[in-house]
Amino acid sequence: MALSAMSSPASEAGSINIVPEASRFIGPDVTTLKELSNTHQCSGGRSQGGRGRNAGPLPVSTTSITILPRETIMRWEDGDSGNPYNWSNRRKISIVLIGAIIVINSTMGSSLPSNAVPFIANYFGVTDPVAKGLPISTYLVGYIVGPLLWGPLSESYGRRIMMVSSFIFFTIFTMACAVAPSWVLLLLFRFLLGIAGSCPLVVIGGIYADIYDDPVTRGRAMAVFIGGTCVGPLVAPLISGFIAPAAGWRWTFWFGLLFAGVSWFPLFFLPETYAPILLTRRAKALRKITGDVNVFAPLELDKKGFKQMITITLTRPLRMICFEPLVTCSCIYMSIAYGIFYLFFQAYPIIFQGVYGQSPGICGLMFLPIAIGAGCATGFFLYYDAMLHKARAANKSWTQKEESRRLPLACVGGPLYVVALFWIGWSSRESIPFWVPMLAGIPFGMGFILIFMALLNYLTDAYGVFTASAMAAGSCCRSLAGAVLPFATPHLYDNLGVAWATSLLALLSLVMCGVPWVFLWKGDQIRASSKFCIYLKEKKRLEEEEDDRLKQRGEQTSTLSATNMCSEYT
């Protein structure tokens, strides 16, 4: 390893710290982004006056520069076994599978009461059709609130602590739902359960980005994650459809608690994957062993006060929604698709119980073709991924553009989703066998998964270390749609009928099909103007230049250089 010196962060917004070996620069959360290339070129001398770490900035030209005493900042050496990128494939696969299991817990919990709602409403004397949708909607409201906490906090305090602490609450509130003494308390517990259950939806994507630096393998891991998000909601109606009539609605939640209890065993073995946290642990160990108090990890130099957390960390997903066009448009598209997906948990009973007279258990089986479609989408993704891998090996020009690597899947999935909605709407009538609208679930599931695979992988590639915040933004928006749209289901289908109500949803989806095509056309220009993308690009360039300088100088000493040179404002 080689020793690399770097300054600690300046205390005032907008300042840039310059040192001989490396430059730290302001992050994308700051309103004004300085010209980073000029910053790097003016790296120079060091103060000999013994200015402390908390010394104020020294004015230089129009840029505030702080020259500070020598400090050793840790970063990964090439091939370092402690770097999650260098972990064995076996260990990485185990992490992917653990993540999928926890995601299935979360998403299964979202729709677990779906076919038990009539029994729950009858038990508590609830007759309002709109109120009957609250057990699912309140859970999804928790999905809106939770990501704004779990995603950014995992970028400051680590992935494992967020996953474990959230799953503790998930287990507790699942049990609370099973013993809820009143309708109001049941809805409160469902809301709190949704907050806890939202954690894996935003943190797992960050975990996969932590361990896979190759876009191809990362994309495959994300495919497993997205498959898990689809399997849970589709299996849950089948479970509640058979358990609630036979054993009572409370046993629906007892089943969820049992599954959560079994899931604790693999979760116990989930390691910390966030590189800044791992470097922090290494720095603390080194300070203890050597007694050198000037050894730091980058995360230790960042501000972590309450004000920083509230004004910067927790607001990052909201700022990405408002000021990042890639995130904004992706969120809108995924929100529409996700809202329709959860709307169908009320629409399917209207269609298959109302039109075809099926029992709740048999109606739950009607969701299985959607799961088959999701499986087909995963197979199609793997085929496309293999084709992409060969094209990259052949150095095809189109593979150099991020949009071309990810978005064609959404260009296929969008039309499939629209066709499926028209199919379900116009084939759901007594004169047509039930299996005809049921089979429309196959293209529906394919389209839904391909849209999410494309857009989530695209955001992961584009936003790097800020993946958890980008995922939090997406999860927040789509959960809002998933919570609100189902309230409209009874009135929508009563007033328009099955055919026209579903056609309205299809037309809305048709409009959104243009999003990936716009990204293919202008995505590179949009990324070029994004503060977050500019920051990541310049960060990578400066790190590479620093590595080149160290190699040219032939330094052979131990290095503890920082992998994530994020500023105090990120």
Side-chain angles (χ1 to χ4, degrees):
M1 300 167 90
L3 286 173
S4 165
M6 186 186 301
S7 69
S8 61
S11 59
E12 295 186 6
S15 64
I16 303 177
N17 304 309
I18 309 298
V19 294
E21 299 284 353
S23 301
R24 297 185 81 236
F25 43 86
I26 56 178
D29 295 323
V30 181
T31 303
T32 303
L33 188 63
K34 302 291 185 182
E35 183 60 48
L36 299 180
S37 58
N38 292 340
T39 298
H40 190 60
Q41 291 170 3
C42 66
S43 297
R46 179 179 305 280
S47 170
Q48 302 298 324
R51 292 174 62 84
R53 291 186 64 212
N54 296 320
L58 297 176
V60 177
S61 184
T62 59
T63 303
S64 176
I65 300 179
T66 305
I67 307 299
L68 300 167
R70 188 176 186 86
E71 292 172 342
T72 302
I73 308 300
M74 301 186 69
R75 76 166 187 158
W76 300 120
E77 181 185 27
D78 290 342
D80 193 322
S81 61
N83 187 342
Y85 286 161
N86 298 324
W87 289 352
S88 67
N89 286 332
R90 183 176 180 180
R91 190 177 189 188
K92 291 181 179 181
I93 290 172
S94 69
I95 292 171
V96 170
L97 295 179
I98 292 170
I101 291 171
I102 304 305
V103 165
I104 290 173
N105 271 273
S106 171
T107 55
M108 186 174 72
S110 67
S111 59
L112 197 57
S114 56
N115 278 330
V117 164
F119 302 94
I120 297 173
N122 184 60
Y123 182 87
F124 290 118
V126 177
T127 57
D128 186 353
V130 175
K132 291 180 181 180
L134 287 174
I136 291 179
S137 292
T138 50
Y139 187 96
L140 295 177
V141 171
Y143 268 14
I144 299 170
V145 177
L148 300 178
L149 300 173
W150 304 120
L153 289 178
S154 75
E155 293 170 347
S156 295
Y157 299 100
R159 316 295 194 194
R160 176 179 164 79
I161 189 173
M162 295 298 126
M163 290 289 291
V164 172
S165 59
S166 67
F167 205 67
I168 290 173
F169 289 110
F170 183 86
T171 305
I172 291 171
F173 290 120
T174 299
M175 182 175 64
C177 289
V179 298
S182 68
W183 175 254
V184 173
L185 283 178
L186 174 65
L187 298 182
L188 175 62
F189 294 149
R190 288 286 293 169
F191 169 69
L192 296 173
L193 184 63
I195 292 177
S198 66
C199 179
L201 296 184
V202 295
V203 175
I204 292 297
I207 290 176
Y208 293 169
D210 292 340
I211 62 176
Y212 290 113
D213 59 339
D214 176 47
V216 174
T217 50
R218 183 170 63 242
R220 292 170 183 171
M222 288 297 294
V224 175
F225 164 73
I226 296 168
T229 64
C230 187
V231 168
L234 298 177
V235 171
L238 180 62
I239 294 170
S240 60
F242 283 105
I243 290 182
W249 65 269
R250 293 187 187 275
W251 274 99
T252 300
F253 295 107
W254 287 123
F255 179 89
L257 180 65
L258 177 64
F259 188 69
V262 173
S263 302
W264 266 108
F265 179 74
L267 180 61
F268 180 77
F269 294 98
L270 179 70
E272 179 57 62
T273 62
Y274 193 46
I277 292 295
L278 297 176
L279 287 169
T280 298
R281 292 176 181 175
R282 183 175 287 188
K284 289 179 179 178
L286 195 61
R287 287 197 299 269
K288 184 177 180 180
I289 293 171
T290 65
D292 184 355
V293 296
N294 289 319
V295 176
F296 297 97
L299 201 62
E300 294 178 294
L301 303 179
D302 293 346
K303 284 186 176 180
K304 276 192 176 181
F306 181 76
K307 180 180 179 181
Q308 165 78 7
M309 182 178 69
I310 296 297
T311 60
I312 301 297
T313 304
L314 295 182
T315 61
R316 189 180 300 131
L318 295 176
R319 285 182 282 112
M320 293 180 88
I321 293 172
C322 296
F323 303 114
E324 292 290 313
L326 295 181
V327 176
T328 303
C329 295
S330 297
C331 285
I332 293 173
Y333 194 5
M334 289 190 292
S335 296
I336 297 297
Y338 195 78
I340 294 173
F341 181 79
Y342 272 89
L343 181 146
F344 270 19
F345 289 116
Q346 291 192 49
Y348 262 44
I350 292 174
I351 295 171
F352 292 104
Q353 293 182 42
V355 176
Y356 294 104
Q358 296 178 348
S359 67
I362 298 301
C363 179
L365 292 173
M366 299 300 104
F367 289 96
L368 291 182
I370 301 179
I372 294 172
C376 293
T378 302
F380 182 79
F381 168 80
L382 294 175
Y383 168 78
Y384 175 80
D385 198 55
M387 183 181 70
L388 174 62
H389 184 69
K390 291 179 181 179
R392 292 186 68 187
N395 201 27
K396 299 288 186 181
S397 59
W398 64 272
T399 63
Q400 306 304 313
K401 187 177 179 182
E402 289 185 19
E403 287 74 19
S404 300
R405 293 199 300 265
R406 299 301 189 189
L407 295 175
L409 292 174
C411 296
V412 174
L416 281 175
Y417 197 75
V418 173
V419 168
L421 290 171
F422 279 120
W423 181 346
I424 294 173
W426 293 96
S427 64
S428 299
R429 55 190 68 189
E430 293 181 3
S431 59
I432 299 176
F434 74 90
W435 53 265
V436 176
M438 180 188 74
L439 290 178
I442 295 177
F444 181 86
M446 283 190 69
F448 179 80
I449 291 297
L450 289 176
I451 291 168
F452 273 73
M453 279 182 176
L455 294 179
L456 290 180
N457 271 315
Y458 180 52
L459 292 178
T460 300
D461 289 350
Y463 289 99
V465 295
F466 300 111
T467 292
S469 287
M471 298 280 276
S475 181
C476 178
C477 289
R478 65 178 183 262
S479 297
L480 178 61
V484 172
L485 277 181
F487 285 117
T489 307
H491 297 297
L492 183 66
Y493 278 80
D494 286 345
N495 294 330
L496 298 180
V498 172
W500 284 108
T502 313
S503 295
L504 179 63
L505 302 175
L507 292 172
L508 188 60
S509 301
L510 181 61
V511 173
M512 300 310 301
C513 280
V515 169
W517 292 99
V518 172
F519 286 172
L520 281 170
W521 178 38
K522 293 290 185 181
D524 53 347
Q525 297 179 30
I526 297 173
R527 282 187 289 110
S529 62
S530 162
K531 291 181 180 179
F532 286 87
C533 294
I534 291 172
Y535 167 76
L536 292 171
K537 183 177 179 180
E538 289 299 317
K539 166 182 171 289
K540 182 178 180 180
R541 183 181 66 81
L542 293 180
E543 287 177 342
E544 290 174 349
E545 289 181 1
E546 181 193 355
D547 286 342
D548 290 342
R549 288 198 308 276
L550 291 175
K551 289 177 182 178
Q552 289 171 4
R553 291 172 58 179
E555 292 190 10
Q556 300 297 325
T557 51
S558 296
T559 112
L560 311 163
S561 340
T563 236
N564 192 354
M565 299 159 81
C566 296
S567 79
E568 59 190 315
Y569 302 104
T570 61

